[in-house]
Amino acid sequence: PHNTTEQTPPVTDNMGRTNACRAQQKRERNAKKGAGAAGKSNLDANKKALSISCSVCRAPFMCTVKRPMLERHQTERHEKKTFAECFPGWTD
């Protein structure tokens, strides 16, 4: 008769490691790398860039906004107001 016992494969270092495990290890390594660097957030810079606002509704606009965008806001939101009333002091 034949021997029906199966031989087990040799244990290696990679056994039991799944892709999820490797991904977790990579996240941990990257977290250690990034721990020294200060978090770079653009929130403060974005708030400062919103320097133009409509004087009627106080809607903020980026400092790089062009006049056509402001005119569109004025015509769509404040039909009875003039551009000068919405954005006093605006210079092209």
Side-chain angles (χ1 to χ4, degrees):
H2 292 106
N3 189 355
T4 59
T5 60
E6 296 180 17
Q7 291 184 351
T8 59
V11 176
T12 64
D13 286 339
N14 287 337
M15 289 196 79
R17 290 189 182 167
T18 62
N19 284 341
C21 181
R22 289 186 183 128
Q24 179 62 30
Q25 289 173 343
K26 187 175 180 179
R27 282 191 290 272
E28 290 170 359
R29 275 195 311 270
N30 288 339
K32 286 180 186 175
K33 261 197 268 186
K40 296 181 180 179
S41 174
N42 291 335
L43 292 176
D44 290 333
N46 290 345
K47 285 180 186 176
K48 290 177 184 174
L50 295 174
S51 60
I52 299 170
S53 64
C54 173
S55 63
V56 177
C57 66
R58 303 288 183 219
F61 293 92
M62 295 284 287
C63 61
T64 58
V65 71
K66 304 290 184 204
R67 184 180 176 110
M69 177 71 91
L70 298 176
E71 288 174 345
R72 183 172 150 204
H73 170 81
Q74 178 261 320
T75 56
E76 290 180 1
R77 303 272 173 112
H78 314 294
E79 295 174 6
K80 296 178 182 177
K81 302 283 184 181
T82 65
F83 181 82
E85 289 174 318
C86 290
F87 302 99
W90 172 262
T91 57
D92 289 320

